[in-house]
Amino acid sequence: MATKKIALLGFGTVGSSVAKVLATGKFAGVELTHIYNRDVERKKSTPNAKFVPKTTVWTENINDVLSSDVDIVIELIGGLDPIESWLRKAITSGKSVVTANKQLIAYRGAGLLRLAKKHNVQLIHGAAVAGGVPVIPGLLQGQAGDQITRIRGIVNGTCNFILSKMEAGAEYADVLAEAQALGYAEANPSADVDGFDARAKLCILSRIALRAELDPEQVPTQSISAVQAIDFAYAKELGCTIRQISAAELVGATVQARVAPMLVPNTLPMAWSHGTQNMVVASGRFGGDVVFSGHGAGGEPTAVAVVSDLLAVVHGHSSVELPIKKRVVTGDFLSPHYLRFVVNDKPGIVSAIAGALAKVGANIDSLLQRPGHDKNALPFVVTTEPCLNSTMDKAVRIMGKMDCMLEKPLCLQMLEREER
Amino acid sequence: MATKKIALLGFGTVGSSVAKVLATGKFAGVELTHIYNRDVERKKSTPNAKFVPKTTVWTENINDVLSSDVDIVIELIGGLDPIESWLRKAITSGKSVVTANKQLIAYRGAGLLRLAKKHNVQLIHGAAVAGGVPVIPGLLQGQAGDQITRIRGIVNGTCNFILSKMEAGAEYADVLAEAQALGYAEANPSADVDGFDARAKLCILSRIALRAELDPEQVPTQSISAVQAIDFAYAKELGCTIRQISAAELVGATVQARVAPMLVPNTLPMAWSHGTQNMVVASGRFGGDVVFSGHGAGGEPTAVAVVSDLLAVVHGHSSVELPIKKRVVTGDFLSPHYLRFVVNDKPGIVSAIAGALAKVGANIDSLLQRPGHDKNALPFVVTTEPCLNSTMDKAVRIMGKMDCMLEKPLCLQMLEREER
Ligand SMILES: NC(=O)c1ccc[n+]([C@@H]2O[C@H](COP(=O)([O-])OP(=O)(O)OC[C@H]3O[C@@H](n4cnc5c(N)ncnc54)[C@H](OP(=O)(O)O)[C@@H]3O)[C@@H](O)[C@H]2O)c1
Ligand SMILES: NC(=O)c1ccc[n+]([C@@H]2O[C@H](COP(=O)([O-])OP(=O)(O)OC[C@H]3O[C@@H](n4cnc5c(N)ncnc54)[C@H](OP(=O)(O)O)[C@@H]3O)[C@@H](O)[C@H]2O)c1
């Protein structure tokens, strides 16, 4: 087997860990010839730089890589531009690409994959979802024979960290600050807590598992930031916890897809996922539910996925290719819902809420009120029988206007108790 | 892509489901040309026979397959002989092989894989461990970049069914009978309950994950049949449950490997695996713990793995090949142990037991005695600080000879609480 020349674009958290994993693994047939990053001198003094072979060329000029005879480009910079155009050039000049860039693969993946096919090179991105957990190779290689109809999971470790700490009693703002201090969350946490990071991953999973090409912008998201400690107390009474769930299900020609904090019954594996762990559950027509879980992020776990992809390319990998269809997205799942209100308690409130639900055609399943709260700011909960998210949105709009409401009612989708 | 001709050997539970999954999936590039089984007329009247194309040749003569121009042979008969010689002939004549035969792959896999390599064909066996759960492709494709040092799991669904029913209060003999009635357990359940089935799978996982070739006969097994309802009660007090665990860990040049009922702390994912579910946890130096779980058996889940393997071969798959070493096995793990005694209670028993443990150099960690038992047949439990299994074997031999012992003491290894 001829040795393949490898270039690393980006020597940050993941990129530098790739250098370490490569050096430690001493894999045959792989030679790291180039590292591209801005401000190379600073990068050379980072701890993992000691794993970079002496012969490797460090460069701040992307053309040194693109015009070289490198066989495989590993992209670990992130973002859409200028990355897409660089990778297009690499592919067009016959280089295979390995990347962990979920935004790129979610938004521009379809075109890039076509280009790679046309130029007879590989574009693989096993690290783009769930970091070190081999969900993508597991689905591509191990479940190709099934017809996956639903994919659900916890694919944002930051949200899972925050929500599982809240489950243990902490308040949102405190845990977010802790997550920021630990480096799990950005200074601007929106991409994580508002669901955009998870949404990109969900679209990648949909392409692979459901063979459905989705427009990420069409997938509704709901922020976890409105979830409060009291919601975990009520969830517990309902035999549930709360997690940021990314869900996509093929229903006829449409894909139901959503990223939102949801009530997860304690009987489901997703309720057991704690800390920054990721978990993906793929439900197949023949194989039933398959669960993958582990470290979804972090330099070294993600580097494992990148290096595994690299080895696959080096060893002449070609993954099973099955036809992919563009699909229309709806955020409407038919499922029970959890509604939490904070009201200034007055007679007639329950009847007004029941009236609003009746108006949109939703049936109340249960009504919960924990003791010990101030009547002037009383949190209580209603759960409904299965109905559409759009129906609940209408109800929430009506109820949000009621005088007694001290804050916008929180409406969370509830996952059904049984597994497949 | 030229269409590949496929032969199915064996039209039983898995084989007939493969025909169904193939027919339903309408995969391009695949044509089922032959089915070999004994007593073909009987097979033609089974329900899944309706999924077999009219053009497929049914035969009772293996040479019709071996001398044909079939490209890929799917072996779903099971057993070592005559299967090995048939598959050797197939490989030698340039046919790739897909199989779910764990005994064959555990005992004769190394030689067959060499032969396949020599003849430049594929031999893949993703369904041989954990049926429909893509552990093998996940490890081969998704974790090739890591250095896996330990593999543990629940790979026998029958034992997991029995033990999780016992956890819920049932007695061993009753659940075994139920498992037999449901078709989960054979009339002679030894291969399952005594650990031989799991041991074959553990050896296959060791080859792939630890890159260690083990002699299955050297891997110690312990039957689950000595576990009683009372052990679940004591396990619960210790924050644990009991599962049949298959574990292999690379320690220096040796592999510690064992299949046995073990105490599993409720904090570990393996404690959450119920019913016939399988679960495998691979611990990597860089990627930490990765968990795979799902349906480990059953015709259709297993058929998914077989068809996925088939598609991989059809699409020109070649998995990452890493060097594999022959390794010496030891059954000696350093871990805490659980000892359950049933004694005719007399003064001095605890001191005699403590004496036996002191003699072999094991330290007592805790002593548990649940109230409400007959003094003439008193079950009680001692847990030890970490020590070797061989040390405990010695202690059990000494204690087994004591007059007060009404049955052989049960000694179970306890898994440590923390994950990696
Ligand atoms: N971290 C994870 O756990 C994880 C998990 C899965 C996937 N990913 C994906 O992996 C990719 C890399 O993530 P990361 O965490 O390693 O990010 P990172 O630590 O920020 O590393 C990015 C590297 O690229 C360099 N860089 C950024 N923009 C550049 C430009 N225009 N020109 C030259 N160099 C540039 C940065 O240099 P400076 O030091 O100068 O900024 C840095 O060294 C992203 O696509 C991310 O989504 C990450
Ligand atoms: N079942 C599972 O869940 C599962 C999961 C993972 C792996 N596997 C593996 O898959 C393989 C097949 O399992 P299975 O459950 O499908 O077994 P099965 O139902 O017993 O099917 C075996 C088939 O092979 C036929 N057969 C047996 N010996 C033969 C011989 N000497 N000549 C011709 N035909 C013969 C049998 O015919 P008769 O009907 O005449 O006996 C039967 O149709 C085994 O290696 C097993 O370990 C099974």
Side-chain angles (χ1 to χ4, degrees):
Chain A
M1 196 173 58
T3 294
K4 300 285 184 201
K5 294 183 180 167
I6 316 296
L8 201 51
L9 312 188
F11 199 76
T13 307
V14 182
S16 71
S17 298
V18 165
K20 178 177 176 183
V21 170
L22 277 179
T24 325
K26 298 193 186 69
F27 301 99
V30 177
E31 187 191 349
L32 182 60
T33 60
H34 293 75
I35 294 176
Y36 162 80
N37 205 97
R38 60 191 171 203
D39 198 354
V40 150
E41 284 313 313
R42 182 170 41 90
K43 291 286 153 181
K44 280 187 179 170
S45 63
T46 54
N48 283 346
K50 68 171 176 288
F51 295 106
V52 174
K54 292 225 167 46
T55 51
T56 303
V57 175
W58 291 79
T59 176
E60 293 170 7
N61 182 351
I62 189 68
N63 290 318
D64 287 349
V65 173
L66 298 179
S67 65
S68 72
D69 61 351
V70 150
D71 301 290
I72 304 167
V73 170
I74 303 181
E75 185 273 307
L76 296 166
I77 292 177
L80 299 179
D81 301 304
I83 303 302
E84 186 188 10
S85 66
W86 293 353
L87 296 187
R88 285 191 163 265
K89 279 188 197 142
I91 290 169
T92 312
S93 65
K95 302 178 186 0
S96 285
V97 170
V98 174
T99 179
N101 189 329
K102 51 222 159 194
Q103 295 298 339
L104 184 75
I105 297 301
Y107 282 85
R108 316 258 173 99
L112 283 165
L113 287 161
R114 270 196 303 275
L115 190 71
K117 195 182 157 98
K118 185 175 151 199
H119 289 274
N120 206 18
V121 298
Q122 298 293 320
L123 165 61
I124 65 175
H125 55 78
V129 178
V133 192
V135 180
I136 292 183
L139 286 165
L140 277 176
Q141 201 72 36
Q143 293 183 268
D146 208 345
Q147 296 167 29
I148 311 281
T149 56
R150 186 178 71 190
I151 189 114
R152 291 203 304 209
I154 293 169
V155 292
N156 182 282
T158 309
C159 288
N160 211 51
F161 175 83
I162 293 174
L163 294 173
S164 57
K165 282 262 174 176
M166 288 179 74
E167 180 183 341
E171 286 289 344
Y172 178 77
D174 298 337
V175 205
L176 174 58
E178 185 186 348
Q180 284 166 328
L182 287 167
Y184 296 158
E186 306 283 324
N188 175 353
S190 174
D192 291 322
V193 301
D194 296 336
F196 308 128
D197 171 81
R199 177 169 75 175
K201 294 170 182 168
L202 181 63
C203 291
I204 298 173
L205 289 175
S206 293
R207 187 186 289 142
I208 291 173
L210 308 181
R211 292 148 205 172
E213 183 70 37
L214 310 184
D215 174 359
E217 304 288 333
Q218 283 184 19
V219 176
T221 54
Q222 179 182 357
S223 179
I224 66 161
S225 59
V227 177
Q228 298 176 12
I230 183 74
D231 297 309
F232 281 92
Y234 278 116
K236 198 171 171 188
E237 280 191 26
L238 293 161
C240 294
T241 185
I242 302 172
R243 291 289 183 267
Q244 187 203 48
I245 301 295
S246 301
E249 182 159 0
L250 197 57
V251 179
T254 307
V255 170
Q256 295 176 342
R258 250 186 119 218
V259 175
M262 299 187 193
L263 264 75
V264 183
N266 292 328
T267 48
L268 296 185
M270 284 179 283
W272 311 329
S273 182
H274 280 84
T276 57
Q277 296 286 99
N278 278 202
M279 182 181 278
V280 173
V281 185
S283 307
R285 171 167 173 188
F286 298 112
D289 276 4
V290 171
V291 180
F292 301 88
S293 95
H295 295 287
E300 295 188 0
T302 308
V304 164
V306 170
V307 172
S308 298
D309 276 359
L310 173 68
L311 294 174
V313 175
V314 169
H315 289 250
H317 154 95
S318 66
S319 60
V320 176
E321 260 179 58
L322 296 160
I324 289 170
K325 288 206 178 115
K326 275 205 182 160
R327 297 283 185 182
V328 173
V329 175
T330 159
D332 253 355
F333 285 79
L334 185 71
S335 67
H337 284 81
Y338 163 99
L339 278 163
R340 189 255 302 148
F341 309 97
V342 182
V343 296
N344 184 349
D345 198 16
K346 279 185 278 205
I349 287 182
V350 169
S351 118
I353 286 172
L357 288 169
K359 197 166 172 182
V360 298
N363 293 322
I364 292 181
D365 184 46
S366 72
L367 207 148
L368 285 82
Q369 186 179 323
R370 286 169 64 90
H373 283 284
D374 182 356
K375 292 276 170 198
N376 297 323
L378 182 73
F380 76 95
V381 162
V382 164
T383 66
T384 72
E385 291 181 4
C387 60
L388 295 175
N389 299 62
S390 57
T391 304
M392 292 311 297
D393 288 346
K394 274 185 234 158
V396 167
R397 266 196 302 276
I398 299 173
M399 296 183 294
K401 286 181 196 141
M402 293 177 184
D403 282 346
C404 59
M405 292 288 163
L406 299 181
E407 43 186 89
K408 187 171 176 255
L410 176 71
C411 179
L412 302 178
Q413 184 174 334
M414 298 174 75
L415 299 183
E416 312 265 0
R417 224 154 279 275
E418 62 286 349
E419 297 175 62
R420 294 193 187 176
Chain B
M1 198 173 59
T3 293
K4 301 284 183 200
K5 294 184 179 164
I6 316 295
L8 201 50
L9 312 188
F11 198 76
T13 307
V14 182
S16 71
S17 299
V18 165
K20 178 177 176 183
V21 170
L22 278 178
T24 325
K26 298 192 186 70
F27 301 100
V30 177
E31 186 190 350
L32 182 60
T33 60
H34 293 75
I35 294 176
Y36 162 81
N37 204 98
R38 60 191 171 203
D39 198 355
V40 150
E41 284 314 311
R42 182 171 40 90
K43 292 285 153 181
K44 279 185 178 170
S45 63
T46 54
N48 283 347
K50 68 170 175 289
F51 296 105
V52 174
K54 292 224 168 45
T55 51
T56 303
V57 175
W58 291 78
T59 176
E60 294 170 7
N61 181 351
I62 189 67
N63 290 318
D64 288 349
V65 172
L66 297 179
S67 65
S68 72
D69 61 350
V70 150
D71 301 291
I72 304 166
V73 170
I74 304 181
E75 185 274 308
L76 296 165
I77 292 177
L80 299 179
D81 301 304
I83 302 302
E84 185 188 10
S85 66
W86 293 353
L87 296 186
R88 286 191 162 264
K89 279 187 197 143
I91 290 169
T92 312
S93 64
K95 301 177 186 0
S96 285
V97 170
V98 174
T99 180
N101 189 330
K102 51 223 160 194
Q103 295 298 338
L104 183 74
I105 296 301
Y107 281 87
R108 316 257 173 99
L112 283 166
L113 287 161
R114 271 196 303 274
L115 190 71
K117 195 180 157 98
K118 184 174 152 199
H119 289 274
N120 205 18
V121 298
Q122 299 293 321
L123 165 61
I124 64 176
H125 55 78
V129 178
V133 190
V135 180
I136 291 182
L139 285 166
L140 278 176
Q141 200 74 34
Q143 293 184 267
D146 208 345
Q147 295 167 30
I148 310 281
T149 55
R150 187 178 70 189
I151 188 113
R152 291 203 303 208
I154 294 170
V155 291
N156 182 282
T158 308
C159 289
N160 211 50
F161 175 83
I162 293 174
L163 294 173
S164 57
K165 283 261 173 177
M166 288 179 73
E167 182 184 339
E171 285 290 344
Y172 177 77
D174 299 338
V175 206
L176 175 58
E178 186 187 348
Q180 284 166 328
L182 287 167
Y184 295 157
E186 307 282 325
N188 175 354
S190 174
D192 291 323
V193 301
D194 295 336
F196 308 128
D197 171 82
R199 178 170 73 175
K201 295 169 181 168
L202 182 63
C203 291
I204 298 173
L205 289 175
S206 293
R207 187 187 289 142
I208 291 174
L210 308 181
R211 293 148 203 170
E213 183 71 36
L214 310 184
D215 174 358
E217 304 287 335
Q218 283 185 17
V219 176
T221 54
Q222 180 182 356
S223 178
I224 66 161
S225 60
V227 177
Q228 298 176 12
I230 183 74
D231 296 308
F232 281 93
Y234 278 117
K236 199 171 171 189
E237 281 191 26
L238 293 161
C240 295
T241 185
I242 301 172
R243 291 289 183 266
Q244 187 204 49
I245 301 295
S246 301
E249 181 158 2
L250 197 57
V251 179
T254 306
V255 171
Q256 295 176 340
R258 250 187 118 217
V259 175
M262 299 188 193
L263 263 74
V264 183
N266 293 329
T267 48
L268 295 186
M270 284 179 282
W272 311 330
S273 183
H274 280 84
T276 57
Q277 296 286 95
N278 278 201
M279 181 179 279
V280 173
V281 185
S283 307
R285 173 168 172 187
F286 298 112
D289 275 5
V290 171
V291 181
F292 302 87
S293 94
H295 295 288
E300 295 189 358
T302 308
V304 164
V306 171
V307 173
S308 298
D309 277 358
L310 173 68
L311 294 174
V313 175
V314 169
H315 289 249
H317 154 95
S318 65
S319 60
V320 175
E321 260 179 58
L322 296 161
I324 290 170
K325 289 207 177 114
K326 275 206 180 156
R327 297 282 185 182
V328 174
V329 176
T330 158
D332 253 355
F333 286 78
L334 185 70
S335 67
H337 284 82
Y338 163 100
L339 278 163
R340 188 255 301 147
F341 308 96
V342 182
V343 296
N344 185 348
D345 198 17
K346 278 184 279 200
I349 287 181
V350 170
S351 116
I353 286 172
L357 288 169
K359 197 165 171 184
V360 298
N363 293 322
I364 293 181
D365 183 46
S366 71
L367 207 149
L368 285 82
Q369 186 178 325
R370 286 169 65 89
H373 283 285
D374 181 357
K375 291 278 170 195
N376 296 322
L378 183 74
F380 76 96
V381 162
V382 164
T383 67
T384 71
E385 292 180 3
C387 61
L388 295 175
N389 300 61
S390 56
T391 304
M392 292 311 295
D393 288 346
K394 272 184 237 161
V396 167
R397 266 197 302 276
I398 298 172
M399 295 183 294
K401 286 181 197 143
M402 295 177 184
D403 282 347
C404 58
M405 292 289 164
L406 299 181
E407 44 186 87
K408 190 173 174 254
L410 176 71
C411 179
L412 303 178
Q413 185 175 335
M414 298 174 75
L415 299 184
E416 311 265 359
R417 225 153 279 274
E418 62 283 353
E419 296 176 60
R420 295 195 186 176

